[in-house]
Amino acid sequence: MTEKRLPFSRAEFDRRLGLVRSAMANEGLDALFVTNPSNMAWLTGYDGWSFYVHQGVLLGHEGDPVWWGRRMDGFGAKRTVWMDDDHVSDYSDDYIQSDERHPMQTLATLMAERGFEAGRIGVEMENYYFTARAMEVLRTEMPKAAFHDATNLCNWQRTVKSTDELDFMRKAGAISTKMIEGIMERVEPGLPKNDLVAEIYRDALRGVDDAWGDYPAIVPLLPSGPDAAAAHLTWDGRPFAAGEATFFEISGCHRRYHAPLCRTVFLGTPPQDMLNAEAALVEGIEAGLDAARAGNRACDIANAMMAVLRKAGIERSGRMGYAVGLSYPPDWGEHTVSIRESDRTELKPGMTFHFMPALWMEDWGLEITETILIREGGHAECLCNYPRKLVVKP
Amino acid sequence: MTEKRLPFSRAEFDRRLGLVRSAMANEGLDALFVTNPSNMAWLTGYDGWSFYVHQGVLLGHEGDPVWWGRRMDGFGAKRTVWMDDDHVSDYSDDYIQSDERHPMQTLATLMAERGFEAGRIGVEMENYYFTARAMEVLRTEMPKAAFHDATNLCNWQRTVKSTDELDFMRKAGAISTKMIEGIMERVEPGLPKNDLVAEIYRDALRGVDDAWGDYPAIVPLLPSGPDAAAAHLTWDGRPFAAGEATFFEISGCHRRYHAPLCRTVFLGTPPQDMLNAEAALVEGIEAGLDAARAGNRACDIANAMMAVLRKAGIERSGRMGYAVGLSYPPDWGEHTVSIRESDRTELKPGMTFHFMPALWMEDWGLEITETILIREGGHAECLCNYPRKLVVKP
């Protein structure tokens, strides 16, 4: 058997399968086909940059799941999953970018072999890597099956983290802290943005102590001045300018676990309205952290923050955070719980969130955020450790 | 109007629209909805890390196209597209990760407003960011429309590069060269892999001279020894070992254009079969480059390479290259022309390929590759510049 590299124990593997099967039973599913790379990794251990071709994990109610994908990635699966080699099923390269055949034809055959030909099968219809074409080919090949949208069914089982997962996230948090420290040390007028991103990546990948750095699921974002309103434009070669605020949205990553952290710098003397907003934001974060207790609800965090912002006369709408943990590009959110006024999910010990009450104004943005852990007793714990303030470099 | 940052001229914008409209007419399409971020960028200039939410470009036969996406990304679009602000259409954050509404409902409204309610509309059904759910919502909302799979329709118009695009790719090639030089200088037994990746990213992002570094669409891959068979597993914190080969699959990136380059190092004394394979591979690449001439076909490159490999007794199947250029994660291939024995696409001046005749054996892998440009006269030009050999560090 191939040498294995597994991030969790066999007992934890069984626990995860049990959670997902219970959710499948609630939905009346005979089988679940998971394509979200984060769900694949959490369920089986699989970790590879291969989500640009069709792949997935097929899970019924009996026995181990089956990893399914491209032949060359099957070799990677055999090294990284809890199942034995008989539970790795592959298709040949003839199916890659072919006009004549589609990989889902081989998945349909596999599903039939496993007895799901006329089953009720959950698929993640809103996952990035499950295309409209994939769905159509499956429907054509399996006319007797009933497909059910099971987007996020598996994601929801991931919200409460195990001790090992929290260990990975604390390490990611230590890397995030180091990244922000490096940024604040180096940023200055005249420094080309790409040169700073080079150092941010270097810090992220070198990691901290025994926590080696993995690639974050989102590239560093660092818009300045009025570009804060267009927060997802990436960097170029232009330099930082004096008299502007820049916010940094980054995350360290260890074994695919993230702990995002955002801080803002002003190069020069910040305007009074930004300082006022900073004071309200910091007070609001403290209020939010205090509301982030097991037994409370996700909306309680948002409401606590909003009360402080409203008192300070700041208008804001939209989410102010989301569940976070194991992720692959293009997003590090878990797509389950949101910290917003309409989300009544109960907070449980072991849940982790990026609490991100960013303020995006017309000509500046202010981001001061924390990745937080809901605890058994008391208020939430922050997994990163950097002063909660607007950094001013005169 | 917002300050613009555009990577191509208005004339080039018009030329690209013309190419796509002509292909649309050939397919009898009234409209095309493009979701592939590379196609969005090539058609309009839009460049942002926002493809994790629904977005796209809607193009009819008259007037400018419409950028459509999330409100905060609309601000980014106004800064980066050739169209005026009236041709940027957005949806509110209520549509993000909502169980009650879907962004495609707003796209359906936009399409109806533009007169496509009962039209024949091309959609990219096999694109990563066009989910099965997106297709179903569109079908439900637009029962009179006929949807047609137009995957890669736009990609095919991108195969021949403009002078500006080639300038970006040459810059990406210079960055790739620098990255491989840095790798070969630094790699040695005992060096943790993540520490080398930290330097690779630093070189990639610092760039070369006036060519600032952008993020590559794929992370560096660097499997060692038997892991070469599982080429898409990413790095961890373990060190390089003596007596093993490692291949490096990397690309520099400038303004989203790539020029991938792979080289292999052996730490110690390579076995004779690897040296034999190296000699055949290098001779095969030269034969392939000589066949890579305007007027020849893509298969001619593959056949020339295969003839040399067969003569050396090396078995190999599968693709040995693909069209390359403008790309976003998770892949830097253009998904059009393949360098393989079955692809009879005519080679034209300005086409660019990653010519990648990798050899993946049981216990080692050998990758020596080139990004090449088909020229008006003579054989192909290589866009990177590193000795074409197995690097041996004793």
Side-chain angles (χ1 to χ4, degrees):
Chain A
M1 197 164 128
T2 331
E3 183 213 348
K4 298 269 190 184
R5 305 179 204 155
L6 297 167
F8 51 86
S9 67
R10 174 82 213 189
E12 176 66 10
F13 177 56
D14 291 334
R15 189 185 73 87
R16 295 179 184 184
L17 291 183
L19 282 172
V20 174
R21 281 176 171 146
S22 166
M24 287 165 60
N26 285 342
E27 299 286 328
L29 298 178
D30 301 312
L32 177 68
F33 177 63
V34 154
T35 44
N36 181 327
S38 310
N39 290 339
M40 291 176 67
W42 181 82
L43 261 178
T44 69
Y46 182 69
D47 178 21
W49 187 283
S50 55
F51 34 87
Y52 63 94
V53 294
H54 290 288
Q55 59 177 20
V57 169
L58 178 64
L59 177 68
H61 284 284
E62 302 290 324
D64 275 356
V66 180
W67 183 98
W68 168 86
R70 184 185 187 178
R71 185 149 307 151
M72 69 181 298
D73 299 323
F75 293 116
K78 287 171 185 168
R79 284 172 165 72
T80 57
V81 301
W82 261 112
M83 301 84 80
D84 61 30
D85 292 2
D86 290 347
H87 289 78
V88 172
S89 171
D90 63 27
Y91 60 84
S92 76
D93 256 37
D94 300 344
Y95 287 87
I96 301 292
Q97 292 169 32
S98 164
D99 294 331
E100 289 149 35
R101 44 190 92 77
H102 193 283
M104 287 294 153
Q105 296 171 319
T106 74
L107 178 69
T109 305
L110 175 69
M111 284 187 178
E113 282 167 12
R114 300 273 157 170
F116 303 129
E117 195 167 4
R120 186 170 156 84
I121 301 168
V123 289
E124 299 173 318
M125 291 186 62
E126 189 68 334
N127 177 49
Y128 306 112
Y129 303 110
F130 189 67
T131 63
R133 165 62 61 203
M135 183 76 264
E136 293 216 341
V137 173
L138 275 186
R139 284 196 203 280
T140 303
E141 298 283 323
M142 301 181 68
K144 292 183 205 156
F147 292 98
H148 172 83
D149 189 357
T151 301
N152 295 342
L153 180 147
C154 189
N155 304 45
W156 276 100
Q157 314 314 315
R158 291 161 40 204
T159 51
V160 173
K161 308 296 185 286
S162 71
T163 311
D164 284 348
E165 289 181 293
L166 290 176
D167 177 48
F168 297 159
M169 289 187 70
R170 282 181 217 279
K171 287 177 173 168
I175 299 174
S176 297
T177 302
K178 180 182 153 189
M179 290 164 73
I180 290 284
E181 286 169 354
I183 287 166
M184 295 307 173
E185 242 174 70
R186 295 178 186 113
V187 61
E188 59 180 14
L191 178 68
K193 283 202 169 178
N194 66 300
D195 281 354
L196 183 57
V197 177
E199 304 302 328
I200 296 173
Y201 259 107
R202 187 167 185 262
D203 282 344
L205 296 167
R206 290 180 67 93
V208 173
D209 302 327
D210 66 328
W212 54 271
D214 208 343
Y215 59 91
I218 306 182
V219 295
L221 296 170
L222 53 163
S224 297
D227 275 358
H232 297 139
L233 298 186
T234 50
W235 66 87
D236 56 24
R238 290 178 303 169
F240 287 94
E244 275 189 348
T246 301
F247 66 76
F248 296 89
E249 200 170 320
I250 59 97
S251 182
C253 185
H254 180 65
R255 300 196 83 151
R256 309 293 338 121
Y257 283 82
H258 296 73
L261 179 63
C262 309
R263 286 293 183 273
T264 306
V265 70
F266 196 97
L267 299 176
T269 307
Q272 191 57 43
D273 60 342
M274 195 182 295
L275 294 173
N276 296 347
E278 178 205 9
L281 202 53
V282 171
E283 189 189 334
I285 292 169
E286 280 162 18
L289 289 176
D290 195 57
R293 291 167 187 267
N296 279 2
R297 298 184 181 275
C299 55
D300 293 330
I301 307 176
N303 289 333
M305 163 60 80
M306 282 306 296
V308 174
L309 291 185
R310 282 200 195 100
K311 201 180 62 186
I314 296 173
E315 291 289 327
R316 190 195 189 283
S317 63
R319 292 204 301 176
M320 33 181 92
Y322 45 81
V324 74
L326 174 64
S327 274
Y328 287 82
D331 192 9
W332 59 43
E334 275 185 356
H335 295 198
T336 50
V337 190
S338 288
I339 298 181
R340 58 181 157 193
E341 289 160 294
S342 60
D343 193 320
R344 298 188 47 78
T345 308
E346 186 188 333
L347 302 176
K348 292 181 187 162
M351 284 186 170
T352 47
F353 301 98
H354 184 206
F355 177 30
M356 193 200 177
L359 298 179
W360 294 299
M361 301 302 178
E362 184 80 7
D363 54 354
W364 51 264
L366 184 62
E367 292 193 353
I368 300 176
T369 77
E370 297 287 354
T371 291
I372 64 174
L373 163 65
I374 306 298
R375 293 192 284 196
E376 195 65 53
H379 60 72
E381 175 190 333
C382 295
L383 300 187
C384 307
N385 181 20
Y386 193 85
R388 209 174 291 145
K389 63 172 187 185
L390 169 68
V391 176
V392 177
K393 286 185 92 166
Chain B
M1 197 163 127
T2 331
E3 181 212 351
K4 298 270 189 184
R5 306 179 202 155
L6 296 166
F8 50 86
S9 68
R10 175 80 213 190
E12 176 67 9
F13 177 57
D14 291 334
R15 190 185 73 87
R16 293 179 186 186
L17 291 183
L19 282 172
V20 174
R21 282 176 170 148
S22 165
M24 286 165 60
N26 285 343
E27 300 287 328
L29 297 178
D30 301 312
L32 178 68
F33 177 64
V34 155
T35 44
N36 181 327
S38 311
N39 290 339
M40 290 176 68
W42 181 82
L43 261 179
T44 69
Y46 182 70
D47 178 20
W49 186 284
S50 55
F51 34 86
Y52 63 93
V53 294
H54 290 288
Q55 58 176 21
V57 170
L58 178 65
L59 177 67
H61 284 284
E62 302 289 325
D64 275 356
V66 180
W67 184 98
W68 168 86
R70 184 185 188 179
R71 184 147 311 150
M72 69 181 295
D73 300 324
F75 294 116
K78 287 171 185 170
R79 285 172 163 74
T80 58
V81 302
W82 261 113
M83 299 85 78
D84 62 29
D85 292 1
D86 289 345
H87 288 79
V88 171
S89 171
D90 62 28
Y91 59 84
S92 75
D93 256 38
D94 301 343
Y95 287 88
I96 302 291
Q97 292 169 35
S98 164
D99 294 332
E100 288 149 36
R101 44 189 91 77
H102 194 283
M104 286 294 154
Q105 296 171 319
T106 74
L107 178 69
T109 304
L110 176 69
M111 285 187 178
E113 282 167 12
R114 298 273 157 171
F116 302 129
E117 193 167 5
R120 188 170 154 86
I121 301 166
V123 289
E124 299 173 317
M125 291 187 63
E126 190 67 334
N127 176 49
Y128 306 111
Y129 303 110
F130 189 68
T131 63
R133 164 63 59 203
M135 182 77 263
E136 292 215 342
V137 174
L138 275 186
R139 284 196 203 280
T140 303
E141 299 282 324
M142 301 182 69
K144 293 183 203 154
F147 292 97
H148 172 83
D149 189 357
T151 302
N152 295 340
L153 180 148
C154 188
N155 304 45
W156 276 100
Q157 315 313 316
R158 291 160 39 202
T159 53
V160 173
K161 307 298 183 285
S162 71
T163 311
D164 284 347
E165 289 182 292
L166 289 177
D167 177 48
F168 297 158
M169 289 188 70
R170 281 181 217 280
K171 287 177 172 168
I175 299 173
S176 297
T177 302
K178 178 183 153 189
M179 290 164 73
I180 290 286
E181 286 169 354
I183 288 167
M184 294 308 174
E185 240 174 74
R186 294 178 186 114
V187 61
E188 60 180 14
L191 178 68
K193 283 202 169 178
N194 66 300
D195 282 353
L196 184 57
V197 177
E199 305 302 328
I200 297 173
Y201 258 108
R202 188 166 183 262
D203 282 344
L205 296 168
R206 290 180 65 92
V208 173
D209 302 329
D210 66 328
W212 56 271
D214 207 343
Y215 60 92
I218 306 181
V219 295
L221 296 170
L222 53 163
S224 298
D227 276 357
H232 297 139
L233 299 185
T234 49
W235 66 87
D236 56 24
R238 290 177 304 167
F240 288 95
E244 276 189 348
T246 302
F247 65 75
F248 295 88
E249 200 170 321
I250 59 96
S251 183
C253 185
H254 179 65
R255 300 195 81 150
R256 308 294 335 123
Y257 283 82
H258 296 74
L261 179 64
C262 310
R263 286 294 183 272
T264 307
V265 70
F266 197 97
L267 299 177
T269 307
Q272 191 56 46
D273 59 343
M274 196 182 297
L275 294 172
N276 296 346
E278 177 204 8
L281 201 53
V282 171
E283 189 189 333
I285 292 168
E286 279 162 19
L289 288 177
D290 195 58
R293 290 166 187 268
N296 278 2
R297 297 182 183 276
C299 55
D300 293 329
I301 308 176
N303 289 333
M305 163 59 80
M306 282 307 296
V308 174
L309 292 185
R310 281 200 196 99
K311 202 180 63 186
I314 296 174
E315 293 289 328
R316 190 195 189 284
S317 63
R319 292 205 300 176
M320 35 182 90
Y322 45 81
V324 76
L326 173 64
S327 275
Y328 287 82
D331 192 8
W332 60 45
E334 275 186 355
H335 296 195
T336 51
V337 190
S338 288
I339 299 181
R340 57 181 159 195
E341 290 161 291
S342 59
D343 193 320
R344 297 187 48 76
T345 307
E346 186 187 332
L347 302 176
K348 292 182 186 161
M351 283 185 171
T352 47
F353 301 98
H354 185 206
F355 178 31
M356 194 200 176
L359 298 178
W360 295 300
M361 301 302 179
E362 183 80 8
D363 53 355
W364 51 264
L366 184 61
E367 293 193 354
I368 300 175
T369 76
E370 297 287 357
T371 290
I372 65 174
L373 163 65
I374 306 300
R375 293 193 283 197
E376 195 65 53
H379 60 72
E381 175 190 333
C382 295
L383 299 188
C384 307
N385 181 20
Y386 193 85
R388 210 174 291 144
K389 63 174 187 185
L390 170 68
V391 177
V392 176
K393 286 184 92 166

